[in-house]
Amino acid sequence: MYPQNPHNYSQYYYSHGASYPIADFCKYRDQVTCLLLMAKHNQGLTFEEIAKHLCGSKEWVAAAILGQASMNKEDALRLTNLLKVDPRIAGVLQEPPMRGSIDRKVPVDPLIYRFYEIMQVYGTTFKAVINEMFGDGIASAIDLEIHVDKRPDPEDPEGERVVITLDGKFLPYEKW
């Protein structure tokens, strides 16, 4: 079956026709993410193409691959099969993740920093308007749908606009 020594996995998998090796990384989610991203890239697949194969959204697939969402067993096995990685990774994909991919430092990636900046500048505006419309509470990050789309920029015929929709259930604070 499989070699007992984890350091022999890559030799075993390359010699048995698998596309990517597996070391003793199954207990490390960030290594699983790196392996999945490498396989996705090497196969030239987009999150949307993977999502169609798994009957899910591109946003959910990206979150699951990046370690911010879990998958059921069937989807995890379908993903490992599609990406031609060791199916034992499916177990890691089914584990509840440690959510929160940004550490406590200010993000330096310009795209992620823009979201940070938007929350710094407009977070209190969002809160004030939501509380005025719904009352004292929060928008759920658990019962949440996320959609990322693009549309033409009406002011620039060659430009495009990013459309991000966050659709979360309102959760009122309760008296206790």
Side-chain angles (χ1 to χ4, degrees):
M1 184 147 182
Y2 296 112
Q4 296 299 315
N5 181 348
H7 300 291
N8 293 335
Y9 281 134
S10 57
Q11 180 182 4
Y12 174 85
Y13 284 104
Y14 285 133
S15 67
H16 287 77
S19 300
Y20 302 99
I22 180 172
D24 56 352
F25 66 81
C26 280
K27 56 189 166 191
Y28 302 109
R29 185 59 178 92
D30 59 339
Q31 291 177 331
V32 171
T33 294
C34 289
L35 180 79
L36 293 171
L37 290 173
M38 179 180 67
K40 174 188 167 294
H41 172 77
N42 288 343
Q43 294 198 35
L45 294 170
T46 65
F47 289 121
E48 190 162 2
E49 290 167 336
I50 296 169
K52 286 178 184 173
H53 186 77
L54 299 179
C55 301
S57 71
K58 64 185 178 292
E59 296 85 2
W60 170 75
V61 166
I65 288 175
L66 295 171
Q68 296 301 302
S70 62
M71 299 181 129
N72 64 34
K73 185 176 183 177
E74 179 182 311
D75 288 333
L77 289 171
R78 288 171 66 198
L79 178 65
T80 61
N81 184 50
L82 176 67
L83 295 180
K84 298 183 176 98
V85 297
D86 190 298
R88 291 178 293 175
I89 293 170
V92 175
L93 295 169
Q94 295 170 66
E95 292 293 320
M98 180 65 71
R99 290 178 172 88
S101 58
I102 299 174
D103 58 22
R104 294 177 189 210
K105 296 181 236 168
V106 174
V108 295
D109 178 85
L111 180 61
I112 295 173
Y113 177 78
R114 286 294 165 242
F115 289 106
Y116 178 82
E117 180 181 37
I118 288 167
M119 286 300 119
Q120 287 288 351
V121 175
Y122 297 108
T124 53
T125 301
F126 294 149
K127 177 180 175 32
V129 172
I130 289 168
N131 290 156
E132 183 178 278
M133 292 174 67
F134 294 92
D136 189 17
I138 63 171
S140 176
I142 296 170
D143 189 347
L144 177 71
E145 292 183 18
I146 300 170
H147 302 280
V148 180
D149 297 296
K150 64 180 177 178
R151 67 176 172 87
D153 186 338
E155 297 177 14
D156 178 3
E158 295 184 27
E160 295 177 319
R161 300 191 62 83
V162 177
V163 179
I164 299 171
T165 305
L166 304 174
D167 183 349
K169 179 178 181 178
F170 181 74
L171 302 171
Y173 286 104
E174 299 292 330
K175 180 179 179 180
W176 45 276

